[in-house]
Amino acid sequence: MNKKIIYIVLVALSIISAKTVNAQKRAEKKSDPLIIWDDKPAKTWMTEAYPMGNGRFGGMVFGGLAQEHIQFNEISLWTGDESETGAYQAFGDLFVNFKGKDTSMAIPANYRRQLDISKAIQQIAYADGGVAYKREYFCSFPDKVMVLHFTADKKGAYSAIIGLKDAHGSKVTANGTALQIEGKLENGLAYNASIVVKTEGGTATVESDGKGGTQLNINQANGFTVLLSAATDYSNKREQHWRGEAPGIKVKQNLDAASAKTFLQLFNNHLLDYKSLFGRVAINLGTTPAPIAAEPTYKRVIDYKKAADPQLEALLYQYGRYLLISSSRKGGLPANLQGLWNESNNPPWRSDYHSNINIQMNYWLAEPTNLSECHIPYLDYINSMREVKKESTQKEYPGVRGWTVKTENNIFGGSSFLWNTPGSAWYAQGIWEHYAFTRDKQYLQSFAYPVLKEIVEFWDDHLKHRPDGTLVSPLGWSPEHGPTEDGVTYDQEIIYDLFTNYIEAADVLGADKTYRDHVDDMKEHLLKPKIGKWGQLQEWETDRDDPKDTHRHSSNLFGLHPGRRISTIKTPELAQAAKVSLLARGDVSTGWSMAWKMNFWARLQDGDHAYKILNNFITLAGGSGVNYNEGGGVYANLFCAHPPFQIDGNFGYTAGVTEMLVQSQTNEIQLLPALPKAWWSGNVQGLRARGDFEITNMEWRNGKIAKLTIKSLAGGVCNLRSPNALKNNIAGLTGSQENADFKYSFKTQVGQLYSFSAVN
Ligand code: FUC
């Protein structure tokens, strides 16, 4: 056995053995920085239940004493079609009702419900009546099942009724000891979710639930395992009318295969898969005082306002990565407004794919935090939409080539709420970024370049030519306020970004020289960003920005982030104007808006201001409505509160922290570009930079780089910008100084590591 396997087996054994877990051990675990936990079951779905998922389906866990409740989803369960937007749907609920217990039961003092994001496992442990109970849940990508494992330290401890509920009302049917729900939505989309239950000791019988359906009755089992799988017949192929394999067949295959494995085998497969992604990045922003680190997570969020808790900041950082791995895996759909977790058939904003910031923000973290594979569902989604979007674009803008999108989008190409003309150009940024980080030329050639080109062609045909040669986007709308008019900065800057990306792509491939030069010419003629009368970066061509406008969108700053036109180094005047605008917008807003502002301040190289916003972001949000004025922040389960729950803020937070530590949008790797004083010493491993570099290790002390190792994965020249002088023994390296920064440039070899340390 190699070391890795031994480690996994040891970890697994330590998790599954109920006997080894006593109150003492649990107390010791409390300081583990990658655990979100609570001392009571969840009362509410949105704010307290903990999420898990395998990119396709997932659940929200309540961890009740008398009843376990897991509300579950499958990411393709959508109403609507090519013309109706529809909404992402709830799928169903799994209930385990423990016999002889009721809701009046007091919560045992040693109750603990936790989500360990380093392993993507949820655990619930408590003692009741002298019996130690333990539940362990995870959602496996390799085995395509959700696994719920119930154990106790006394034989025959479990007597329970297990039931399923379909959120669309079908009756539960049985097949052996499997229960299933299946049906069709109004658009004909077929779905199936089934569970199989394996008991250890005792009996398990299928019986009527008294309401025309079926349930499972377990008596005096020592323990049991529930395997759940869910699917629909959605396919992302338009030529197949968005339908594929029958869901019941897939679900049965998944359950048959998983049933043949032991819990330990399933867990090992899951851990190996999950760690291969999650384990790539580690971060240390400082150590939290032990008494605070030992508190339940919701309490830490409250106490955050009183005392520093860098481990909570790091936990929230890694949580964004956990949520992306859990809701966006190869072969599936991209994370929607709620990732994949949704309890309603009429969710806020349909839990859809919004194209004017939200879906894009969901993926800002993917490449820099070393989760490039999790980016693929978004790229596949864009690909699957192309043909239907070409048709709808034709109807709206007859005669144009290419395509664009409206603001609200479903999984069948249907959309609603106003045209967002630069929407596809913003998608194109994600397409380009995947290449910029991976240098995958085959991907660039076969997919990225053709898509970039067709989106460029849309603008080639749609841009308005003014008599003086200036090019403006006609009748745009700056999300989501102000008039509809020509030359809105949001449109102009996204088009500029698109053209820049297209030109670079064409240069890499040596493709379409004439057309590339034409695009370059169009780029030069685009209406340029303007600085207005109070020094702000104008949102519209007319200088009408209101310094009192605190609207959540800051779309006029696209060129600063996620665009790369504006930077403190290359365009200091525009950067200064962006700063003026940003100061006027204020530091408090909805969840995703604050996350975006962290990214803006990081790009402005103002770490302390980015950190101020980060502080505002980590505010325990109350309420359960959609009232923006209740204030954004996070809930007890660390879901981002728009409010209501919206996952873009979680992803945007992780992207923002990354931007504070490393940036690479200006052809150089900037180390610690926006380090706040609060993180004066720390380290991070595994971040990625454009050019296919991995910052294998970066340690800093007192705001200066102490140690640095960079791995080159594609060869090429590496340009570094450091806040302090660095030592190295790299042949041919050139160094220079610019203002307070130290710059280094050197040729790299594929697979080589390059190490630096501080000059004392
Ligand atoms: C955008 C925002 C809203 C909300 C919605 C889902 O349009 O303006 O604040 O986040 O998307």
Side-chain angles (χ1 to χ4, degrees):
M1 257 202 278
N2 70 24
K3 270 188 187 159
K4 204 168 189 178
I5 293 172
I6 293 171
Y7 169 72
I8 289 163
V9 170
L10 288 176
V11 169
L13 286 174
S14 74
I15 286 169
I16 61 163
S17 167
K19 281 185 186 140
T20 59
V21 178
N22 53 37
Q24 184 54 38
K25 280 253 157 66
R26 283 197 297 275
E28 278 166 22
K29 282 228 89 179
K30 279 183 187 173
S31 60
D32 189 329
L34 291 178
I35 287 178
I36 298 170
W37 74 281
D38 207 324
D39 50 13
K40 57 189 179 311
K43 283 205 189 77
T44 57
W45 182 95
M46 182 171 77
T47 65
E48 293 180 353
Y50 291 156
M52 60 181 179
N54 66 0
R56 287 290 182 106
F57 55 85
M60 292 287 281
V61 176
F62 285 71
L65 289 159
Q67 178 192 68
E68 177 57 281
H69 175 195
I70 294 163
Q71 184 277 333
F72 62 90
N73 288 100
E74 201 278 347
I75 200 161
S76 65
L77 192 72
W78 267 83
T79 55
D81 51 33
E82 286 190 9
S83 47
E84 284 287 320
T85 320
Y88 180 47
Q89 301 290 289
F91 205 125
D93 300 86
L94 170 80
F95 296 105
V96 180
N97 289 303
F98 300 103
K99 292 184 199 170
K101 310 285 173 197
D102 64 43
T103 44
S104 64
M105 184 179 164
I107 299 164
N110 57 6
Y111 176 93
R112 185 177 168 103
R113 172 171 68 95
Q114 72 174 33
L115 164 59
D116 181 343
I117 63 168
S118 73
K119 304 187 185 82
I121 185 164
Q122 301 212 28
Q123 291 157 303
I124 294 143
Y126 59 95
D128 175 32
V131 182
Y133 292 93
K134 185 155 191 214
R135 310 175 198 165
E136 288 150 310
Y137 308 155
F138 58 90
C139 214
S140 168
F141 175 75
D143 285 307
K144 305 184 183 80
V145 282
M146 185 186 288
V147 181
L148 314 168
H149 189 54
F150 297 75
T151 52
D153 69 353
K154 191 177 155 226
K155 285 208 153 73
Y158 281 108
S159 292
I161 301 288
I162 301 180
L164 278 179
K165 186 167 170 247
D166 180 356
H168 294 87
S170 82
K171 295 276 179 253
V172 182
T173 56
N175 177 3
T177 52
L179 298 181
Q180 70 167 13
I181 51 180
E182 65 177 344
K184 278 190 176 178
L185 299 182
E186 65 225 25
N187 60 2
L189 190 82
Y191 62 88
N192 181 301
S194 302
I195 57 167
V196 292
V197 180
K198 296 205 283 187
T199 46
E200 197 202 306
T203 59
T205 42
V206 166
E207 61 180 30
S208 161
D209 65 1
K211 290 176 267 171
T214 312
Q215 62 188 22
L216 203 70
N217 190 341
I218 293 183
N219 274 308
Q220 292 178 351
N222 306 333
F224 60 99
T225 306
V226 182
L227 304 177
L228 179 147
S229 190
T232 76
D233 65 352
Y234 174 77
S235 143
N236 68 359
K237 305 215 163 22
R238 188 187 193 209
E239 61 278 16
Q240 291 175 202
H241 308 285
W242 308 103
R243 296 292 183 275
E245 211 187 337
I249 297 173
K250 287 188 269 190
V251 165
K252 189 169 181 317
Q253 276 169 0
N254 297 343
L255 289 175
D256 286 350
S259 301
K261 297 179 186 172
T262 64
F263 174 74
L264 189 55
Q265 283 169 331
L266 292 169
F267 180 69
N268 285 346
N269 289 348
H270 161 71
L271 198 62
L272 208 56
D273 165 72
Y274 179 75
K275 285 248 179 194
S276 72
L277 294 167
F278 186 82
R280 291 173 185 172
V281 170
I283 191 166
N284 173 6
L285 301 172
T287 305
T288 299
I292 294 179
E295 288 177 342
T297 309
Y298 71 89
K299 197 142 187 302
R300 280 172 78 173
V301 177
I302 296 168
D303 289 350
Y304 184 73
K305 297 293 163 196
K306 293 180 276 183
D309 189 348
Q311 286 178 209
L312 179 64
E313 294 159 356
L315 177 65
L316 197 56
Y317 178 83
Q318 291 285 31
Y319 193 43
R321 299 184 67 246
Y322 166 81
L323 291 171
L324 192 69
I325 300 169
S326 304
S327 63
S328 184
R329 292 298 297 270
K330 229 173 156 181
L333 285 159
N336 61 42
L337 281 177
Q338 297 182 180
L340 58 69
W341 301 277
N342 164 39
E343 62 162 348
S344 165
N345 290 332
N346 185 21
W349 292 286
R350 304 177 166 89
S351 192
D352 69 0
Y353 297 101
H354 260 59
S355 70
N356 67 3
I357 176 76
N358 316 89
I359 187 172
Q360 292 93 341
M361 183 180 278
N362 282 3
Y363 287 90
W364 289 347
L365 78 162
E367 302 290 343
T369 77
N370 219 333
L371 296 175
S372 190
E373 296 90 334
C374 297
H375 204 174
I376 307 292
Y378 176 42
L379 309 173
D380 283 348
Y381 169 78
I382 298 169
N383 190 27
S384 72
M385 296 293 122
R386 281 158 77 189
E387 292 312 312
V388 63
K389 294 300 182 194
K390 278 178 194 164
E391 280 174 24
S392 50
T393 302
Q394 269 297 313
K395 276 191 203 135
E396 182 70 14
Y397 307 104
V400 292
R401 289 166 294 166
W403 56 278
T404 191
V405 293
K406 286 187 170 185
T407 302
E408 300 186 335
N409 298 282
N410 70 14
I411 62 170
F412 312 104
S415 55
S416 59
F417 189 60
L418 303 180
W419 282 91
N420 171 30
T421 39
S424 62
W426 198 340
Y427 287 174
Q429 189 189 52
I431 294 174
W432 167 254
E433 291 284 72
H434 184 67
Y435 170 76
F437 278 88
T438 61
R439 290 283 161 104
D440 180 346
K441 238 177 161 177
Q442 205 272 327
Y443 157 85
L444 184 68
Q445 176 114 41
S446 63
F447 173 68
Y449 182 77
V451 182
L452 285 169
K453 188 171 179 195
E454 68 193 21
I455 299 172
V456 165
E457 284 170 341
F458 169 78
W459 285 103
D460 193 355
D461 296 345
H462 186 60
L463 279 170
K464 190 163 152 180
H465 294 243
R466 285 189 174 157
D468 67 355
T470 308
L471 294 174
V472 289
S473 162
L475 300 180
W477 187 45
S478 193
E480 294 184 5
H481 66 163
T484 298
E485 63 185 21
D486 294 352
V488 167
T489 307
Y490 167 78
D491 290 21
Q492 297 297 129
E493 290 310 294
I494 294 176
I495 300 163
Y496 180 92
D497 189 70
L498 168 73
F499 288 175
T500 307
N501 296 337
Y502 170 79
I503 292 162
E504 288 188 20
D507 288 347
V508 172
L509 298 173
D512 294 324
K513 178 84 179 86
T514 315
Y515 194 65
R516 177 241 178 257
D517 290 348
H518 167 63
V519 177
D520 201 16
D521 185 61
M522 288 198 291
K523 182 177 150 180
E524 289 311 309
H525 286 88
L526 284 171
L527 180 68
K528 296 191 170 43
K530 292 175 141 195
I531 299 174
K533 54 180 178 281
W534 46 280
Q536 87 283 12
L537 192 70
Q538 285 179 213
E539 186 153 2
W540 301 275
E541 189 180 9
T542 305
D543 188 357
R544 68 161 78 80
D545 302 62
D546 176 358
K548 293 204 173 58
D549 182 356
T550 56
H551 197 273
R552 60 194 179 282
H553 287 267
S554 302
S555 309
N556 48 327
L557 308 187
F558 179 93
L560 176 66
H561 181 277
R564 54 193 165 113
R565 176 186 207 149
I566 301 175
S567 78
T568 52
I569 296 163
K570 296 207 170 118
T571 58
E573 294 85 12
L574 290 175
Q576 175 57 27
K579 183 173 176 178
V580 170
S581 290
L582 202 50
L583 283 169
R585 279 291 207 266
D587 297 336
V588 177
S589 193
T590 61
W592 65 257
S593 175
M594 289 194 283
W596 199 2
K597 285 172 182 162
M598 282 171 59
N599 287 273
F600 286 136
W601 283 111
R603 287 271 171 107
L604 287 172
Q605 316 239 315
D606 188 336
D608 285 331
H609 208 125
Y611 189 72
K612 189 174 171 200
I613 312 271
L614 179 151
N615 271 263
N616 293 340
F617 187 91
I618 306 183
T619 298
L620 191 68
S624 55
V626 291
N627 185 359
Y628 305 174
N629 299 327
E630 281 177 357
V634 294
Y635 298 114
N637 56 9
L638 298 188
F639 266 170
C640 175
H642 178 284
F645 160 48
Q646 213 171 278
I647 208 161
D648 40 19
N650 286 105
F651 295 140
Y653 170 95
T654 302
V657 171
T658 310
E659 291 276 336
M660 290 161 80
L661 301 176
V662 174
Q663 292 177 27
S664 61
Q665 70 282 359
T666 52
N667 294 328
E668 56 183 14
I669 302 175
Q670 296 182 53
L671 307 167
L672 304 178
L675 187 73
K677 288 191 197 68
W679 298 340
W680 227 215
S681 296
N683 59 76
V684 65
Q685 288 80 38
L687 296 182
R688 297 287 300 256
R690 291 167 187 82
D692 207 6
F693 295 107
E694 184 174 290
I695 323 286
T696 307
N697 182 39
M698 179 170 84
E699 295 172 32
W700 65 95
R701 271 193 288 281
N702 303 321
K704 307 271 184 233
I705 298 290
K707 277 188 189 155
L708 174 76
T709 304
I710 292 186
K711 186 171 187 180
S712 169
L713 293 153
V717 173
C718 181
N719 300 311
L720 287 182
R721 181 181 285 266
S722 163
N724 53 295
L726 299 174
K727 277 191 293 206
N728 65 84
N729 53 8
I730 302 165
L733 174 139
T734 58
S736 60
Q737 237 184 304
E738 191 179 303
N739 304 324
D741 295 340
F742 294 81
K743 294 171 47 166
Y744 302 96
S745 185
F746 54 99
K747 284 203 188 112
T748 68
Q749 303 286 325
V750 178
Q752 285 294 313
L753 293 171
Y754 299 89
S755 294
F756 299 81
S757 58
V759 173
N760 296 315

